[in-house]
Amino acid sequence: MTYWTAALLGLALAASPAAAKTKTMPVEGQTPQQPIEAGNYPYQLFVPKGYRTDTAKQYPLLIFLHGSGERGDDVAKVKVHGPPKIAERDPAFPFLTVSPLLGTDQDWDIQKLDALVDHVAKTYRIDPARVYLTGLSRGGHASWRWAIAEPKRFAAVAAVAGRGNPGEACRLMDLPVWAFHGDRDDVVTPEGSFDMVRAIRACGGRKVRLSIYPDLGHNSWDPAYDDPALYAWLLEQKLPSPMNTDKDDK
């Protein structure tokens, strides 16, 4: 039994009682994928062990947005941190995971990300009530921004070493959010997370959490993503009524 299998044993990983037909039979494990259309992002796709055999099961979807250091044309670089790193070493990682690659000098484009997630949700057996978003640094900024733009798309969001717009934070008051930061971060100061959490709470939000790592700089992603508690928390969150793909709350 792997570390992650043991850590997550007993969690609510059972499939939703849906009769979704198998739309594709992909290779289990993590594989690089071409963009779904011209101008979109190449990405790493992780398919959990058992996907091919249990054809009635729907899977939670985890979207991971990397930071500035991984930008470029080598899609393998998205596996150096975060969920794709975890998935690479553990085939029992319970999330179907999509980790797109941002081009050199680019920033995350929500419209492109929407198209990618919609494609994956239609192509694979995804539970629409369990779609989760996380990202680090530049990807953490984008996680805040995307969640604010479409707060009903995600069941939960984990922003690591990122900053958002506190003036729009009230849109997140009903969304489970967990922010992570190092208290000595001099690249994205911890106020980036403090300000967002304070603003959400000021709006009456009670589903927001904040973890500050003492004596740690910008790299708060290693302790955040290596902690099984993050994945357990994500899996506890579920949309009461999954949003439609028309994104009318955007």
Side-chain angles (χ1 to χ4, degrees), residues 77-134:
K77 290 184 70 175
V78 303
K79 298 187 292 184
V80 301
H81 299 303
K85 177 183 177 182
I86 303 297
E88 186 74 4
R89 68 191 187 209
D90 183 6
F93 190 62
F95 304 85
L96 196 146
T97 307
V98 171
S99 307
L101 174 69
L102 193 59
T104 303
D105 298 327
Q106 292 183 3
D107 200 359
W108 293 108
D109 183 306
I110 291 177
Q111 185 174 2
K112 292 180 181 180
L113 292 169
D114 275 333
L116 175 56
V117 172
D118 288 345
H119 168 79
V120 171
K122 291 175 182 177
T123 306
Y124 301 93
R125 298 194 311 275
I126 300 301
D127 183 347
R130 296 188 295 166
V131 177
Y132 309 107
L133 171 64
T134 188

Side-chain angles (χ1 to χ4, degrees), residues 26-187:
V27 175
E28 293 178 2
Q30 192 156 231
T31 55
Q33 304 290 320
Q34 293 298 314
I36 61 169
E37 59 189 5
N40 209 296
Y41 304 116
Y43 60 102
Q44 292 286 345
L45 174 70
F46 173 76
V47 177
K49 184 178 180 180
Y51 183 97
R52 292 173 61 91
T53 55
D54 188 353
T55 57
K57 181 175 180 177
Q58 288 185 307
Y59 286 79
L61 173 63
L62 180 60
I63 303 110
F64 169 68
L65 305 180
H66 65 73
S68 296
E70 291 71 61
R71 291 183 296 179
D73 56 8
D74 183 2
V75 72
K77 290 184 70 175
V78 303
K79 298 187 292 184
V80 301
H81 299 303
K85 177 183 177 182
I86 303 297
E88 186 74 4
R89 68 191 187 209
D90 183 6
F93 190 62
F95 304 85
L96 196 146
T97 307
V98 171
S99 307
L101 174 69
L102 193 59
T104 303
D105 298 327
Q106 292 183 3
D107 200 359
W108 293 108
D109 183 306
I110 291 177
Q111 185 174 2
K112 292 180 181 180
L113 292 169
D114 275 333
L116 175 56
V117 172
D118 288 345
H119 168 79
V120 171
K122 291 175 182 177
T123 306
Y124 301 93
R125 298 194 311 275
I126 300 301
D127 183 347
R130 296 188 295 166
V131 177
Y132 309 107
L133 171 64
T134 188
L136 66 87
S137 193
R138 182 177 294 275
H141 310 334
S143 295
W144 286 117
R145 183 160 44 90
W146 195 2
I148 286 170
E150 299 176 52
K152 294 184 180 180
R153 175 180 272 277
F154 306 106
V157 174
V160 182
R163 60 173 174 265
N165 181 356
E168 297 181 305
C170 288
R171 290 180 59 80
L172 305 179
M173 63 179 295
D174 295 321
L175 177 66
V177 174
W178 195 346
F180 300 82
H181 229 111
D183 71 343
R184 294 182 180 272
D185 191 338
D186 58 359
V187 178

Side-chain angles (χ1 to χ4, degrees), residues 8 11-13 60 94-95 130 132 230-237:
L8 294 172
L11 296 172
L13 300 182
F95 304 85
R130 296 188 295 166
Y132 309 107
L230 169 59
Y231 305 100
W233 173 82
L234 287 172
L235 290 167
E236 290 171 355
Q237 316 306 321

